[in-house]
Amino acid sequence: MKILYQGSPGAYSHLAALEVYPDSEIISCKTFDECFQRAQKDEKLKIIIPESNKTTGNIGIEYLIFKFRLNIYAEHFHQIEHNLLGVPGSKLENIKNVFSHQQALSQCSDFLKKKNIIENVRTDTAGSAALVSKNKKKSEAAIASKLSAKIYDLDILTENIENEKGNATRFLIMGKPISQPEFEEKKYITSFLFKLKSKPAALYQSLGGFAINGINLTKLQSYPEKNSFSSYFFLCDLDGHIDDPKVKKSLEELGLHCEDFHVLGVFPSDKFRDK
């Protein structure tokens, strides 16, 4: 099995892939678009993509979910521990500039403000570590993983600088072949997207079936259709399996109000949700 992730070696997506698929070939991609495009063309490939973070919310890959509509096989919650990395011999008090992904910078904002360090946004955390290693400036640092420190020969100046301990990112494992587990007495997530018919109170009416059948929606997000601010898609997750009679009835009710409806995946609920 080959697993694609976005970022440079040492990125948190790389770490998540190692946790889920330790015996697989793990391949780096420059962009999220590249991950999705390659998986759509090759059914032997799977991708592991960050979808949202516990403290800073959505990562911003929903437009790719809409565009490619790959099947979701699983979710994985990866604990995020941010570290300040510098070249060998550098000291915390001499750091003036820090480089990292916008999400990482936001998640470490309290530490950076306290130390009066200037933030510099880059495309990924591990790539920032590679940049600092290449520049060899003792006034520069990166926010990245411990694996990045090892790969790019950097010192860990300060560990766990994130604003909130217990921070975690939710990853989705996706691919082209459609597959879902059989309905058993377990906890499941059903993920789907839909576009409503253009009529007054359409969203309110469409959600009534979930309330009547006691189905819990854990995610409901709207996104404008391409080149439009009047037509929206909705991305939704619910607790339950699509073959559960109550879930099935709820989705049938929803379908009456939709122009477009697409099941993205049915997969076991990660045990992290029970914490």
Side-chain angles (χ1 to χ4, degrees):
M1 184 184 299
K2 295 181 179 180
I3 310 298
L4 307 180
Y5 72 92
Q6 183 276 330
S8 303
Y12 292 104
S13 295
H14 186 188
L15 285 170
L18 289 171
E19 283 188 346
V20 181
Y21 300 105
D23 300 321
S24 299
E25 181 180 356
I26 299 173
I27 303 170
S28 168
C29 294
K30 290 185 178 180
T31 65
F32 291 124
D33 297 69
E34 182 184 350
C35 290
F36 278 85
Q37 288 173 5
R38 291 181 63 176
Q40 189 181 57
K41 293 178 181 178
D42 189 344
E43 294 188 354
K44 296 180 181 179
L45 297 176
K46 288 185 178 180
I47 62 176
I48 184 164
I49 300 292
E51 179 266 339
S52 59
N53 178 266
K54 184 178 178 182
T55 61
T56 53
N58 292 339
I59 303 298
I61 51 89
E62 289 78 15
Y63 73 101
L64 293 171
I65 293 177
F66 293 149
K67 180 179 179 180
F68 291 96
R69 303 194 181 195
L70 297 178
N71 189 79
I72 302 174
Y73 305 116
E75 63 177 359
H76 172 69
F77 289 83
H78 178 75
Q79 186 166 342
I80 303 298
E81 296 179 344
H82 290 305
N83 307 277
L84 190 71
L85 312 181
V87 296
S90 59
K91 297 181 179 181
L92 174 59
E93 56 266 27
N94 295 327
I95 299 300
K96 304 298 181 184
N97 286 278
V98 64
F99 300 86
S100 198
H101 188 277
Q102 179 60 60
Q103 288 273 334
L105 294 171
S106 297
Q107 293 162 23
C108 301
S109 59
D110 293 346
F111 176 87
L112 298 177
K113 289 178 182 177
K114 182 178 179 180
K115 299 299 181 180
N116 197 29
I117 300 175
I118 299 172
E119 301 177 13
N120 296 269
V121 178
R122 293 295 182 270
T123 55
D124 69 276
T125 56
S128 299
L131 176 66
V132 169
S133 179
K134 180 181 179 180
N135 289 346
K136 292 182 171 56
K137 294 181 180 180
K138 293 184 177 181
S139 62
E140 295 181 352
I143 296 175
S145 67
K146 292 180 180 179
L147 179 58
S148 292
K150 183 178 180 180
I151 291 174
Y152 302 108
D153 191 27
L154 296 174
D155 287 348
I156 300 176
L157 305 182
T158 310
E159 296 182 353
N160 301 337
I161 62 171
E162 59 273 9
N163 297 345
E164 297 185 27
K165 306 308 175 186
N167 185 18
T169 292
R170 181 189 186 225
F171 286 83
L172 299 177
I173 293 89
M174 309 175 75
K176 187 174 182 179
I178 297 175
S179 175
Q180 66 184 48
E182 293 185 4
F183 181 35
E184 299 178 1
E185 292 299 318
K186 297 180 180 179
K187 293 182 179 180
Y188 296 96
I189 302 292
T190 295
S191 183
F192 56 97
L193 59 86
F194 63 94
K195 177 185 175 183
L196 294 170
K197 298 176 182 177
S198 181
K199 61 179 182 178
L203 181 59
Y204 174 78
Q205 295 175 11
S206 69
L207 299 180
F210 299 108
I212 293 172
N213 291 286
I215 299 301
N216 183 41
L217 300 182
T218 58
K219 175 189 285 290
L220 180 62
Q221 295 174 300
S222 64
Y223 296 90
E225 193 173 12
K226 187 177 181 180
N227 299 324
S228 173
F229 283 103
S230 59
S231 179
Y232 289 83
F233 275 96
F234 292 87
L235 179 63
C236 187
D237 287 350
L238 61 78
D239 286 336
H241 194 289
I242 195 170
D243 289 334
D244 183 325
K246 291 183 178 180
V247 173
K248 187 175 293 186
K249 288 181 180 178
S250 301
L251 294 178
E252 288 174 352
E253 174 67 23
L254 172 66
L256 297 175
H257 304 277
C258 290
E259 285 187 6
D260 187 5
F261 176 85
H262 183 84
V263 175
L264 295 167
V266 182
F267 46 92
S269 174
D270 193 290
K271 293 181 179 179
F272 182 88
R273 292 179 178 269
D274 299 328
K275 293 182 180 180

